Amino acid sequence: MTEHSAILAAAVGEIGGEARPGQQSMADAVAGAFEDGAHLLVQAGTGTGKSLGYLAPALARCVDSDEVVVVATATLALQAQLANKDIPTALDAVEEVTGKRPKAAILKGRTNYACLYRARSGTDLEQGSLIGASAVAEAVSRSSADDVSKLGAEVLALREWIEEEAQSGGLADRDDAPTHTARGWAQVSIPTRECLGVANCRFGAECFVEASREVAREADLIVTNHALLAINAMHGGTALPEHAALVVDEAHELVSRITTAATDELTPGIVDRTARRALAWLDDDLGTDFLDQADALREALADSELTRITQASAPLPYAAAVLRDVTRKVVSALGKSTDDPERQQAAAAVKEIFDIAERMAALKEADVVWVTESEIMGRAAYVAPLNMAGLLHDQVFGQRPTVLTSATLTLGGAFEPAAGAVGLRAADRITLDEAPEHEHSWRAIDVGSPFDYRKQGILYIARKLPPPGRDGMHPETLAEIAQLVWAADGRALGLFASRRAAEQAAEYCRRELPALTILCQGDAQLSELTRRFLAEPDTALFGTMSLWQGVDVPGEACQVVIIDKIPFPRPDDPLMQARKKAVDDAGGNGFMSVAASHAALLLAQGAGRLIRRSEDKGVVAMLDPRLATARYGSFLTASLPDFWATTDTDVAVQALRRLRGHDLE
């Protein structure tokens, strides 16, 4: 038995079981990737135990070669699961098998740790002393006096906790903090740009971020998130310690998370607050000029179309160019003084606006610039990379062997779409038995699932319903939803493409099914709604994108997943439309590469909410007939679990009634 196999067996034994075939196959493939350097894509279905499937070979590698392995995951929930459950189990197993115990550490981005300078340098709310003056102004302008008072109390509680962490040698990790809002945490943490640096901060010797980095530097296994992985890739490998191998869990999220990390925003409010922050160190003319740029940007945004900006003569690029020139002068005027921390932080904030304005003014082909509008925030400008494949190809896959794993990596039944999105070429794929030819060679393996989807689940496609329209849900579709919810006695998870559709369906079902409880996203906090859905019988939960991924509802609480329409990207999403056009212009099929792949991933994630353990049974009801009638339907269904399929409404309804123990005559 190989060392990684012995570790896996010991780890699984600790939790009272034996390694599953798929779990062992995964561990073998991961160990092989670490050994010969070929990249690896592993599709491991729900219930496979994939965390231990990669931790066992990763820790074996750490023990055998003294190399560092990094694991990057998308969600805090999985990061916490790894830290509190899977990694301790795996470390115990390594110690049992090898007599050695590697060190593991969790590493997060800077804003996940409290900043002692920010926490200890505040002033009183009335004088601007408890939180920064600009934050107070914003709070007062948008909130009542009670809200500001609550914010002050929240920040005081956070500051007390931070001092306790400093006294006890803790890391002041946000996940361990007292209950707080995002606005409260912003007053005790600091953006990366505004950090004074250890040498210039009077609390540098106690810095929580530096302490977390020091713990990571001494670790053999480092667990981080996709965002920090993105920062590491974009900034020349400075965010993470040196490492020999990388595992990316929840890899279906990687492109989206890295895109988010590489996206910048510009609003009049940001410019105004930053200008007021810098005024104390500027002469009157330059200070006034900087303040005026907020109004100039506001006017440019008002005159802009709510779409992608491609013409240099458009109002936004012109305003961005003027803002770039003004902020360049401001940065020069503020200088590089390290004697005044407030001035140094103001200069960093101005430099960030300069960089964003310069990027928007340039309108490079590699970037997408667009304008959006919301009721709460008003108009805003954004800039994001057109494509992440090049960055990932060069700065991730070009540096070290990388393993990507997820329950949903095959789209349309193939690995190539997911591989292409992260910069791996189809031509560079090799078999499991072939030796890698170069640093971008990659393999793929589907280790399956412990579930028998054909026996446990039915895919019902409502072929006879009218296709979705833009004017709300069709009465026939609403009636179908109510019938499915009735057949399941509640116990339905409704996944809708819009909040409007979810609310319309909830209202209809409440009227038609008064004996059942219909919860809808927006009625309360999502965590509270999910708790009630799990705990209360005869309950259905309807919602939008927050429910498509990451909601784990095993057992009888969820026996039908209802999906109202194929989740294609919104036609007014400038970034997705730009990516689609770029593929078309290059001679490819932008619809299939971008829109259909996006929809396939979300459908697979949504359908995956149904079967969470071997005892689960139920129906995935797809109410969009295009899944059965459109040419791209077969691509989408090939991305779903291998359910038994039907287009007969009665079959789906009767199956749900039988599950509920109803006598069918």
Side-chain angles (χ1 to χ4, degrees), residues 49 53 71 78 88 97 132 203 267 270 312 320 366 481 501 505 563 619:
V71 174
L78 182 54
V97 172
F203 306 117
T267 67
I270 291 172
I481 293 171
I563 299 175
V619 174

mmCIF file with all atom_site columns, all heavy atoms in Angstrom, residues 49 53 71 78 88 97 132 203 267 270 312 320 366 481 501 505 563 619:
data_model
loop_
_atom_site.group_PDB
_atom_site.id
_atom_site.type_symbol
_atom_site.label_atom_id
_atom_site.label_alt_id
_atom_site.label_comp_id
_atom_site.label_asym_id
_atom_site.label_entity_id
_atom_site.label_seq_id
_atom_site.pdbx_PDB_ins_code
_atom_site.Cartn_x
_atom_site.Cartn_y
_atom_site.Cartn_z
_atom_site.occupancy
_atom_site.B_iso_or_equiv
_atom_site.pdbx_formal_charge
_atom_site.auth_seq_id
_atom_site.auth_comp_id
_atom_site.auth_asym_id
_atom_site.auth_atom_id
_atom_site.pdbx_PDB_model_num
ATOM 1   N N   . GLY A 1 49  ? -16.267 12.342 -0.782  1.00 0.00 ? 49  GLY A N   1
ATOM 2   C CA  . GLY A 1 49  ? -15.241 12.556 0.242   1.00 0.00 ? 49  GLY A CA  1
ATOM 3   C C   . GLY A 1 49  ? -13.981 13.116 -0.373  1.00 0.00 ? 49  GLY A C   1
ATOM 4   O O   . GLY A 1 49  ? -12.864 12.703 -0.055  1.00 0.00 ? 49  GLY A O   1
ATOM 5   N N   . GLY A 1 53  ? -9.718  12.994 -0.182  1.00 0.00 ? 53  GLY A N   1
ATOM 6   C CA  . GLY A 1 53  ? -9.136  12.458 -1.410  1.00 0.00 ? 53  GLY A CA  1
ATOM 7   C C   . GLY A 1 53  ? -7.951  13.251 -1.905  1.00 0.00 ? 53  GLY A C   1
ATOM 8   O O   . GLY A 1 53  ? -7.056  12.694 -2.553  1.00 0.00 ? 53  GLY A O   1
ATOM 9   N N   . VAL A 1 71  ? -3.871  24.734 -0.636  1.00 0.00 ? 71  VAL A N   1
ATOM 10  C CA  . VAL A 1 71  ? -5.241  24.380 -1.009  1.00 0.00 ? 71  VAL A CA  1
ATOM 11  C C   . VAL A 1 71  ? -6.048  25.671 -1.039  1.00 0.00 ? 71  VAL A C   1
ATOM 12  O O   . VAL A 1 71  ? -6.083  26.409 -0.051  1.00 0.00 ? 71  VAL A O   1
ATOM 13  C CB  . VAL A 1 71  ? -5.868  23.391 -0.009  1.00 0.00 ? 71  VAL A CB  1
ATOM 14  C CG1 . VAL A 1 71  ? -7.339  23.152 -0.350  1.00 0.00 ? 71  VAL A CG1 1
ATOM 15  C CG2 . VAL A 1 71  ? -5.104  22.074 0.003   1.00 0.00 ? 71  VAL A CG2 1
ATOM 16  N N   . LEU A 1 78  ? -16.472 25.883 3.391   1.00 0.00 ? 78  LEU A N   1
ATOM 17  C CA  . LEU A 1 78  ? -15.564 24.752 3.167   1.00 0.00 ? 78  LEU A CA  1
ATOM 18  C C   . LEU A 1 78  ? -14.220 24.997 3.848   1.00 0.00 ? 78  LEU A C   1
ATOM 19  O O   . LEU A 1 78  ? -13.597 24.069 4.375   1.00 0.00 ? 78  LEU A O   1
ATOM 20  C CB  . LEU A 1 78  ? -15.361 24.508 1.675   1.00 0.00 ? 78  LEU A CB  1
ATOM 21  C CG  . LEU A 1 78  ? -14.465 23.313 1.331   1.00 0.00 ? 78  LEU A CG  1
ATOM 22  C CD1 . LEU A 1 78  ? -14.945 22.036 2.001   1.00 0.00 ? 78  LEU A CD1 1
ATOM 23  C CD2 . LEU A 1 78  ? -14.404 23.098 -0.177  1.00 0.00 ? 78  LEU A CD2 1
ATOM 24  N N   . PRO A 1 88  ? -7.660  18.241 10.676  1.00 0.00 ? 88  PRO A N   1
ATOM 25  C CA  . PRO A 1 88  ? -7.255  17.534 11.894  1.00 0.00 ? 88  PRO A CA  1
ATOM 26  C C   . PRO A 1 88  ? -7.329  16.011 11.750  1.00 0.00 ? 88  PRO A C   1
ATOM 27  O O   . PRO A 1 88  ? -6.445  15.284 12.222  1.00 0.00 ? 88  PRO A O   1
ATOM 28  C CB  . PRO A 1 88  ? -8.253  18.051 12.943  1.00 0.00 ? 88  PRO A CB  1
ATOM 29  C CG  . PRO A 1 88  ? -8.634  19.400 12.456  1.00 0.00 ? 88  PRO A CG  1
ATOM 30  C CD  . PRO A 1 88  ? -8.677  19.279 10.965  1.00 0.00 ? 88  PRO A CD  1
ATOM 31  N N   . VAL A 1 97  ? 0.465   6.996  10.501  1.00 0.00 ? 97  VAL A N   1
ATOM 32  C CA  . VAL A 1 97  ? 1.140   6.222  9.452   1.00 0.00 ? 97  VAL A CA  1
ATOM 33  C C   . VAL A 1 97  ? 2.640   6.490  9.402   1.00 0.00 ? 97  VAL A C   1
ATOM 34  O O   . VAL A 1 97  ? 3.447   5.571  9.229   1.00 0.00 ? 97  VAL A O   1
ATOM 35  C CB  . VAL A 1 97  ? 0.499   6.522  8.079   1.00 0.00 ? 97  VAL A CB  1
ATOM 36  C CG1 . VAL A 1 97  ? 1.310   5.889  6.945   1.00 0.00 ? 97  VAL A CG1 1
ATOM 37  C CG2 . VAL A 1 97  ? -0.940  6.027  8.045   1.00 0.00 ? 97  VAL A CG2 1
ATOM 38  N N   . GLY A 1 132 ? -14.008 56.538 11.370  1.00 0.00 ? 132 GLY A N   1
ATOM 39  C CA  . GLY A 1 132 ? -13.511 57.609 10.526  1.00 0.00 ? 132 GLY A CA  1
ATOM 40  C C   . GLY A 1 132 ? -14.577 58.621 10.163  1.00 0.00 ? 132 GLY A C   1
ATOM 41  O O   . GLY A 1 132 ? -15.751 58.300 10.028  1.00 0.00 ? 132 GLY A O   1
ATOM 42  N N   . PHE A 1 203 ? 2.193   49.907 15.366  1.00 0.00 ? 203 PHE A N   1
ATOM 43  C CA  . PHE A 1 203 ? 1.735   48.627 15.903  1.00 0.00 ? 203 PHE A CA  1
ATOM 44  C C   . PHE A 1 203 ? 2.224   47.458 15.057  1.00 0.00 ? 203 PHE A C   1
ATOM 45  O O   . PHE A 1 203 ? 1.693   46.356 15.146  1.00 0.00 ? 203 PHE A O   1
ATOM 46  C CB  . PHE A 1 203 ? 0.199   48.606 15.976  1.00 0.00 ? 203 PHE A CB  1
ATOM 47  C CG  . PHE A 1 203 ? -0.383  49.762 16.740  1.00 0.00 ? 203 PHE A CG  1
ATOM 48  C CD1 . PHE A 1 203 ? -1.208  50.684 16.121  1.00 0.00 ? 203 PHE A CD1 1
ATOM 49  C CD2 . PHE A 1 203 ? -0.086  49.934 18.088  1.00 0.00 ? 203 PHE A CD2 1
ATOM 50  C CE1 . PHE A 1 203 ? -1.740  51.749 16.819  1.00 0.00 ? 203 PHE A CE1 1
ATOM 51  C CE2 . PHE A 1 203 ? -0.609  51.000 18.802  1.00 0.00 ? 203 PHE A CE2 1
ATOM 52  C CZ  . PHE A 1 203 ? -1.434  51.917 18.163  1.00 0.00 ? 203 PHE A CZ  1
ATOM 53  N N   . THR A 1 267 ? -17.158 55.281 -8.423  1.00 0.00 ? 267 THR A N   1
ATOM 54  C CA  . THR A 1 267 ? -18.414 56.015 -8.245  1.00 0.00 ? 267 THR A CA  1
ATOM 55  C C   . THR A 1 267 ? -18.101 57.438 -7.799  1.00 0.00 ? 267 THR A C   1
ATOM 56  O O   . THR A 1 267 ? -17.011 57.703 -7.258  1.00 0.00 ? 267 THR A O   1
ATOM 57  C CB  . THR A 1 267 ? -19.312 55.370 -7.171  1.00 0.00 ? 267 THR A CB  1
ATOM 58  O OG1 . THR A 1 267 ? -18.675 55.513 -5.886  1.00 0.00 ? 267 THR A OG1 1
ATOM 59  C CG2 . THR A 1 267 ? -19.557 53.894 -7.449  1.00 0.00 ? 267 THR A CG2 1
ATOM 60  N N   . ILE A 1 270 ? -17.127 57.513 -4.058  1.00 0.00 ? 270 ILE A N   1
ATOM 61  C CA  . ILE A 1 270 ? -15.752 57.106 -3.764  1.00 0.00 ? 270 ILE A CA  1
ATOM 62  C C   . ILE A 1 270 ? -14.798 58.268 -4.011  1.00 0.00 ? 270 ILE A C   1
ATOM 63  O O   . ILE A 1 270 ? -13.903 58.551 -3.204  1.00 0.00 ? 270 ILE A O   1
ATOM 64  C CB  . ILE A 1 270 ? -15.366 55.887 -4.624  1.00 0.00 ? 270 ILE A CB  1
ATOM 65  C CG1 . ILE A 1 270 ? -16.152 54.650 -4.177  1.00 0.00 ? 270 ILE A CG1 1
ATOM 66  C CG2 . ILE A 1 270 ? -13.869 55.619 -4.539  1.00 0.00 ? 270 ILE A CG2 1
ATOM 67  C CD1 . ILE A 1 270 ? -15.977 53.450 -5.093  1.00 0.00 ? 270 ILE A CD1 1
ATOM 68  N N   . ALA A 1 312 ? -13.702 55.872 -27.165 1.00 0.00 ? 312 ALA A N   1
ATOM 69  C CA  . ALA A 1 312 ? -12.910 56.799 -26.351 1.00 0.00 ? 312 ALA A CA  1
ATOM 70  C C   . ALA A 1 312 ? -13.572 58.169 -26.238 1.00 0.00 ? 312 ALA A C   1
ATOM 71  O O   . ALA A 1 312 ? -13.301 58.925 -25.298 1.00 0.00 ? 312 ALA A O   1
ATOM 72  C CB  . ALA A 1 312 ? -11.509 56.948 -26.945 1.00 0.00 ? 312 ALA A CB  1
ATOM 73  N N   . ALA A 1 320 ? -12.828 59.879 -16.997 1.00 0.00 ? 320 ALA A N   1
ATOM 74  C CA  . ALA A 1 320 ? -11.795 59.069 -16.347 1.00 0.00 ? 320 ALA A CA  1
ATOM 75  C C   . ALA A 1 320 ? -10.404 59.607 -16.660 1.00 0.00 ? 320 ALA A C   1
ATOM 76  O O   . ALA A 1 320 ? -9.514  59.603 -15.790 1.00 0.00 ? 320 ALA A O   1
ATOM 77  C CB  . ALA A 1 320 ? -11.912 57.616 -16.793 1.00 0.00 ? 320 ALA A CB  1
ATOM 78  N N   . ALA A 1 366 ? -8.131  44.192 -23.742 1.00 0.00 ? 366 ALA A N   1
ATOM 79  C CA  . ALA A 1 366 ? -8.136  43.129 -22.735 1.00 0.00 ? 366 ALA A CA  1
ATOM 80  C C   . ALA A 1 366 ? -9.065  43.432 -21.574 1.00 0.00 ? 366 ALA A C   1
ATOM 81  O O   . ALA A 1 366 ? -9.259  42.583 -20.706 1.00 0.00 ? 366 ALA A O   1
ATOM 82  C CB  . ALA A 1 366 ? -6.714  42.909 -22.209 1.00 0.00 ? 366 ALA A CB  1
ATOM 83  N N   . ILE A 1 481 ? -45.989 24.576 -10.994 1.00 0.00 ? 481 ILE A N   1
ATOM 84  C CA  . ILE A 1 481 ? -45.219 24.713 -9.754  1.00 0.00 ? 481 ILE A CA  1
ATOM 85  C C   . ILE A 1 481 ? -46.077 24.326 -8.563  1.00 0.00 ? 481 ILE A C   1
ATOM 86  O O   . ILE A 1 481 ? -45.658 23.556 -7.691  1.00 0.00 ? 481 ILE A O   1
ATOM 87  C CB  . ILE A 1 481 ? -44.694 26.159 -9.606  1.00 0.00 ? 481 ILE A CB  1
ATOM 88  C CG1 . ILE A 1 481 ? -43.646 26.460 -10.681 1.00 0.00 ? 481 ILE A CG1 1
ATOM 89  C CG2 . ILE A 1 481 ? -44.100 26.379 -8.208  1.00 0.00 ? 481 ILE A CG2 1
ATOM 90  C CD1 . ILE A 1 481 ? -43.238 27.915 -10.755 1.00 0.00 ? 481 ILE A CD1 1
ATOM 91  N N   . ALA A 1 501 ? -39.670 36.472 -10.300 1.00 0.00 ? 501 ALA A N   1
ATOM 92  C CA  . ALA A 1 501 ? -40.282 35.170 -10.583 1.00 0.00 ? 501 ALA A CA  1
ATOM 93  C C   . ALA A 1 501 ? -40.495 34.381 -9.294  1.00 0.00 ? 501 ALA A C   1
ATOM 94  O O   . ALA A 1 501 ? -41.543 33.741 -9.111  1.00 0.00 ? 501 ALA A O   1
ATOM 95  C CB  . ALA A 1 501 ? -39.412 34.381 -11.557 1.00 0.00 ? 501 ALA A CB  1
ATOM 96  N N   . ALA A 1 505 ? -44.182 33.222 -7.952  1.00 0.00 ? 505 ALA A N   1
ATOM 97  C CA  . ALA A 1 505 ? -44.505 31.818 -7.692  1.00 0.00 ? 505 ALA A CA  1
ATOM 98  C C   . ALA A 1 505 ? -44.927 31.616 -6.241  1.00 0.00 ? 505 ALA A C   1
ATOM 99  O O   . ALA A 1 505 ? -45.866 30.861 -5.949  1.00 0.00 ? 505 ALA A O   1
ATOM 100 C CB  . ALA A 1 505 ? -43.309 30.942 -8.032  1.00 0.00 ? 505 ALA A CB  1
ATOM 101 N N   . ILE A 1 563 ? -36.858 24.205 -11.142 1.00 0.00 ? 563 ILE A N   1
ATOM 102 C CA  . ILE A 1 563 ? -36.063 25.235 -11.830 1.00 0.00 ? 563 ILE A CA  1
ATOM 103 C C   . ILE A 1 563 ? -36.944 25.854 -12.907 1.00 0.00 ? 563 ILE A C   1
ATOM 104 O O   . ILE A 1 563 ? -37.432 25.148 -13.794 1.00 0.00 ? 563 ILE A O   1
ATOM 105 C CB  . ILE A 1 563 ? -34.788 24.621 -12.440 1.00 0.00 ? 563 ILE A CB  1
ATOM 106 C CG1 . ILE A 1 563 ? -33.918 24.009 -11.332 1.00 0.00 ? 563 ILE A CG1 1
ATOM 107 C CG2 . ILE A 1 563 ? -34.004 25.666 -13.224 1.00 0.00 ? 563 ILE A CG2 1
ATOM 108 C CD1 . ILE A 1 563 ? -32.687 23.269 -11.832 1.00 0.00 ? 563 ILE A CD1 1
ATOM 109 N N   . VAL A 1 619 ? -37.253 14.442 -7.264  1.00 0.00 ? 619 VAL A N   1
ATOM 110 C CA  . VAL A 1 619 ? -37.428 14.872 -8.649  1.00 0.00 ? 619 VAL A CA  1
ATOM 111 C C   . VAL A 1 619 ? -36.773 16.236 -8.849  1.00 0.00 ? 619 VAL A C   1
ATOM 112 O O   . VAL A 1 619 ? -36.912 17.131 -8.005  1.00 0.00 ? 619 VAL A O   1
ATOM 113 C CB  . VAL A 1 619 ? -38.938 14.981 -8.986  1.00 0.00 ? 619 VAL A CB  1
ATOM 114 C CG1 . VAL A 1 619 ? -39.147 15.574 -10.378 1.00 0.00 ? 619 VAL A CG1 1
ATOM 115 C CG2 . VAL A 1 619 ? -39.605 13.614 -8.878  1.00 0.00 ? 619 VAL A CG2 1
#
